[in-house]
Amino acid sequence: MTALPGVSFLVPVSNKAPHLPSVLRQISRQTGDFPRQFVFVDDESTDGSLELVRELTADWENTVIYHQRNKGSAGATNACIELADQPYIKFVDADDLIADAATETLLRAIEGSDACLAF
């Protein structure tokens, strides 16, 4: 089987502390054999979100955590994109839940096609 291309999981974070444990658990449970990068941009959270991301991802490889002054959702998303280093990006809001095989399924769907986007 052909190796799958890498994915940068992009998570803009703004005051989402109650939701972060669930979304981080779902990201970490993504199935498939592909390179991963995890990018979190904290948009000046005031609820401890930044500290929680740091704590819950302390042992994750290839993780980037960036804190910025409040620039809003679009500003945090754009910062995530700038920090991404894999061929594909997967946007994950800090309160999303995703199925365990979601990323692998999308990668397999796009593999060998002319598509540049899968959702």
Side-chain angles (χ1 to χ4, degrees):
M1 189 173 289
T2 309
L4 294 171
V7 175
S8 291
F9 292 85
L10 308 183
V11 186
V13 178
S14 181
N15 293 324
K16 297 289 185 174
H19 306 286
L20 286 170
S22 294
V23 77
L24 294 176
R25 185 171 41 257
Q26 292 302 99
I27 291 171
S28 72
R29 292 172 50 169
Q30 291 300 289
T31 61
D33 185 20
F34 57 91
R36 300 152 202 255
Q37 179 198 31
F38 306 99
V39 178
F40 301 90
V41 173
D42 179 73
D43 196 47
E44 206 167 25
S45 294
T46 59
D47 69 346
S49 289
L50 176 61
E51 294 78 11
L52 192 55
V53 168
R54 287 180 175 150
E55 175 187 331
L56 296 176
T57 63
D59 62 344
W60 290 20
E61 293 183 24
N62 205 14
T63 301
V64 176
I65 301 170
Y66 180 76
H67 173 75
Q68 68 181 20
R69 296 188 59 73
N70 186 279
K71 295 182 181 176
S73 179
T77 299
N78 288 336
C80 283
I81 293 168
E82 288 292 320
L83 295 166
D85 69 5
Q86 295 298 310
Y88 287 104
I89 58 175
K90 180 166 184 59
F91 293 106
V92 183
D93 284 333
D95 57 0
D96 282 352
L97 293 180
I98 53 178
D100 292 353
T103 305
E104 181 181 16
T105 300
L106 293 171
L107 284 172
R108 293 203 184 283
I110 205 167
E111 181 182 33
S113 75
D114 290 337
C116 63
L117 173 70
F119 62 95

